[in-house]
């Protein structure tokens, strides 16, 4: 027998435009059946309902992180945890300790981290340092997806020597003598990952289960996983079929974009499925492509040259022509596209590709997305809106990285980075969803909410305060707006009758706490589909 649960004596911020606040909800079969005042909801539920008294606590819709590599949150014990190191010496000590416990010849892999903004020395580790820290093992240290480090053993296994050319869309960093330093950019990383054994299906399942549990502890009830190869998709599918998912997962598939166009066409068609295959728990939400690098790396593709270098415009991961060919071919086979584009020139290229796809048949309504769009301009956003394109934005990038961005791009450009106010004005709130790009940034949503509202970084320095948004706008972008990315706006994102019962109970009032203490809010209970998946 399915019992009705009732939560009463709460302060529900429903984000439902007809009933913006409520004190009680009733839940049956995983969905809200009533939202309103205590007495009315209790009467609707009947005397047999299970009643939970919230004691006046604030309740919000579950967070929907629209850009989150959640498996990285579940890699404890499998990788060197570099998230907390603050110096080169600390990083090398952590690698040395981990490597000492591994069999000789086994790969030593690092967690996601960001040396330029994280380490006091603001630099990457060298092959010589890694050779000393792990003399018996090849080392692979990914960062935020665009740069990785390896040691001599790793370079040797990848076949990278003095005469190895840079691959298309990638760079092998070299010293003045032409010797590889161990730092690899963009598609040069693929040379190592091609020879490094991947995680087993069982290890991936373990990572997703642990990662989603950690996400639940922050009130996250849905994630859009923005870059998965087939092995990761299979692991998630197994968890879905076994009923082991504790948050809803949308997936962007990442087929190899470096292949010739004919092979790409065969690949994206061979599965027999396309975007939106799945259900409310697990869904293929499209294909992910990457067009440039990042703000903190000086690899975002810019219209104007970087300060101090009249020729450096950043890095394109593929030609504009190839990008357009890939987008059009995938669109012809019913795939929705989300394309990573950080610099304004990269945004230009992606919009050119989207317009080419639109000429084949309209893309409006298919939820194509500019992923990041961190340095996009108003006129580019207006062009995107005309096509029906979304923006998936991560204000939290400024929390710990604004100083690094400022160093590489200058203060003026940093002030206009991650322009959320402009984006909402142009796109409308439903087409601008927030996320973290974890592990590049904090998984905790309250850091992103605080940054979006205050535009002050971890040091308290304000960047582009005119791009700040209201607390309700920030919350809506982190919950209801994310549902649009996976075509789920009719079933989740607000606390409304008939929608999925996904919500988070907070330690304090989100609308009432001091703006500089939003980050200190905690989640005391997370509910997904009416089931408690986390309780503090």
């Amino acid at each position: 027998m399915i019992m009705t649960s009732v939560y009463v004596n709460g302060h529900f911020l429903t984000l439902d435009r007809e009933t913006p606040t409520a004190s009680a909800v009733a839940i049956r079969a995983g969905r809200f059946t009533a939202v309103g005042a205590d007495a009315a909801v209790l009467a609707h539920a009947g005397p047999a309902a299970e009643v939970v008294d919230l004691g006046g606590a604030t309740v919000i819709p579950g967070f929907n992180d629209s850009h989150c590599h959640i498996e990285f949150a579940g890699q404890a014990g499998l990788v060197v945890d570099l998230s907390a190191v603050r110096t080169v010496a600390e990083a090398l000590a952590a690698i040395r300790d981990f490597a000492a416990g591994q069999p000789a010849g086994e790969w030593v892999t690092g967690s996601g981290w960001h040396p330029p903004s994280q380490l006091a020395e603001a630099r990457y580790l060298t092959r010589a340092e890694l050779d000393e820290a792990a003399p018996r093992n090849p080392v692979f240290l990914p960062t935020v997806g665009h740069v990785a480090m390896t040691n001599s053993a790793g370079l040797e296994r990848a076949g990278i020597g003095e005469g190895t050319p840079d691959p298309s869309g990638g760079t092998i960093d070299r010293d003045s003598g032409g010797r590889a330093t161990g730092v690899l950019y963009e598609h040069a990383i693929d040379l190592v990952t091609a020879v490094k054994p991947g995680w087993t299906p069982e290890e991936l399942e373990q990572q997703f289960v642990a990662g989603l549990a950690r996400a639940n502890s922050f009130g996250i009830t849905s994630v859009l996983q923005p870059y998965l190869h087939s092995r990761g998709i299979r692991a998630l599918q197994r968890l879905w079929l076994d009923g082991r998912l504790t948050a809803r997962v949308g997936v962007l598939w990442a087929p190899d974009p470096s292949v010739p166009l004919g092979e790409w066409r065969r690949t994206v068609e061979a599965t027999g499925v396309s975007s939106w295959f799945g259900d409310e728990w697990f869904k293929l939400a499209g294909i992910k492509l990457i067009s440039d690098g990042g703000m903190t790396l000086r690899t975002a593709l810019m219209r104007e040259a970087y300060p101090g270098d009249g020729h450096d415009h950043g890095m394109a991961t593929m030609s504009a022509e190839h990008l357009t060919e890939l987008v059009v071919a995938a669109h012809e086979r019913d795939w929705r596209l989300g394309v990573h584009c950080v610099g304004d020139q990269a945004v230009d290229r992606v919009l050119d590709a989207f317009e080419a796809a639109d000429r084949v048949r309209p893309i409006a309504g298919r939820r194509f997305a500019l992923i990041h769009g961190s340095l996009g301009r108003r006129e580019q956003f207006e062009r995107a809106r005309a096509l029906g394109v979304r923006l998936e934005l991560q204000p939290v990038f400024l929390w710990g990285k604004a100083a690094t961005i400022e160093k590489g791009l200058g203060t003026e450009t940093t002030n206009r980075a991650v322009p959320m106010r402009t984006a909402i004005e142009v796109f409308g709130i439903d087409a601008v969803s927030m996320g973290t790009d974890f592990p590049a940034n904090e998984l905790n949503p309250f850091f992103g909410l605080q940054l979006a509202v205050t535009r002050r970084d971890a040091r308290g320095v304000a960047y582009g305060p005119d791009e700040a948004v209201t607390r309700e706008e920030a919350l809506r972008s982190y919950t209801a707006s994310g549902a649009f990315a996976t075509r789920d706006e009719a079933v989740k994102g607000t606390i409304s009758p008939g929608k999925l019962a996904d919500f988070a109970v907070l330690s304090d009032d989100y609308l009432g706490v001091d703006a500089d203490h939003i980050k200190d809010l905690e989640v005391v209970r997370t509910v997904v589909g009416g089931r408690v998946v986390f309780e503090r």
Side-chain angles (χ1 to χ4, degrees), residues 286-297:
I287 284 176
K288 165 78 173 289
L289 291 170
I290 298 174
S291 68
D292 70 339
M295 294 185 292
T296 58
L297 311 171

Side-chain angles (χ1 to χ4, degrees), residues 248-467:
R248 308 179 194 281
V249 183
V251 171
L252 293 183
W253 177 33
D256 183 0
S258 67
V259 299
L261 181 60
E263 184 176 344
W264 171 266
R265 286 176 174 145
R266 290 189 293 273
T267 297
V268 300
E269 191 169 25
T271 60
V273 299
S274 59
S275 297
W276 320 124
F277 182 80
D279 67 3
E280 295 156 355
W281 278 104
F282 175 65
K283 181 180 293 187
L284 289 178
I287 284 176
K288 165 78 173 289
L289 291 170
I290 298 174
S291 68
D292 70 339
M295 294 185 292
T296 58
L297 311 171
R298 284 178 65 102
T299 53
L301 189 62
M302 303 294 291
R303 290 174 174 176
E304 298 178 0
Y306 280 85
D309 188 326
H311 303 287
D312 182 9
H313 290 262
M315 180 179 293
T317 61
M318 66 184 79
S319 70
E321 294 75 19
H322 189 54
L323 173 64
T324 296
E325 290 174 342
L326 299 182
V327 168
V328 171
H331 174 52
E332 288 174 335
R333 288 151 183 81
D334 293 328
W335 285 98
R336 170 242 193 193
L337 277 299
V339 185
H340 168 116
C341 49
V342 174
D344 48 13
Q345 186 182 161
V347 175
D348 285 334
R349 290 185 175 200
V350 174
L351 290 175
D352 288 345
F354 285 177
E355 286 175 348
D358 190 66
R359 288 192 291 271
V360 173
R361 60 188 168 97
I363 66 173
R366 293 200 51 80
R367 316 297 166 92
F368 276 43
L370 302 175
I371 295 177
H372 305 309
S374 308
L375 295 170
R377 299 176 181 272
R378 180 180 286 268
E379 40 94 0
Q380 293 177 312
F381 292 168
E382 290 170 347
R383 186 180 166 197
R385 180 194 60 192
L387 289 166
V389 169
R390 299 177 42 76
L391 179 65
E392 293 165 10
L393 203 61
Q394 302 83 37
V396 72
F397 262 106
L398 295 179
W399 177 256
K401 299 178 177 64
T404 304
I405 299 168
E406 186 175 24
K407 180 180 178 181
L409 285 161
T411 303
E412 182 179 351
T413 300
T414 308
N415 281 331
R416 70 174 183 83
V418 200
M420 193 166 180
R421 164 55 55 207
T422 298
I424 290 174
E425 289 176 357
V426 174
F427 285 95
I429 187 68
D430 291 339
V432 180
S433 55
M434 282 176 64
T436 57
D437 199 7
F438 177 85
N441 303 297
E442 296 275 355
L443 181 60
N444 185 340
F446 295 107
F447 284 84
L449 290 171
Q450 179 168 315
L451 193 290
V453 169
T454 67
R455 294 288 293 191
R456 289 191 286 274
D457 72 355
R459 304 164 300 162
V461 179
Y463 289 91
D466 54 331
E467 290 293 347

Side-chain angles (χ1 to χ4, degrees), residues 157-181:
R157 291 201 185 186
I160 299 174
E162 292 188 12
T164 304
D166 287 341
S168 176
T171 301
I172 301 167
D173 188 59
R174 300 178 187 277
D175 60 23
S176 58
R179 188 168 185 257
T181 65

Side-chain angles (χ1 to χ4, degrees), residues 23 190 516:
S23 62
D190 301 342
D516 289 321

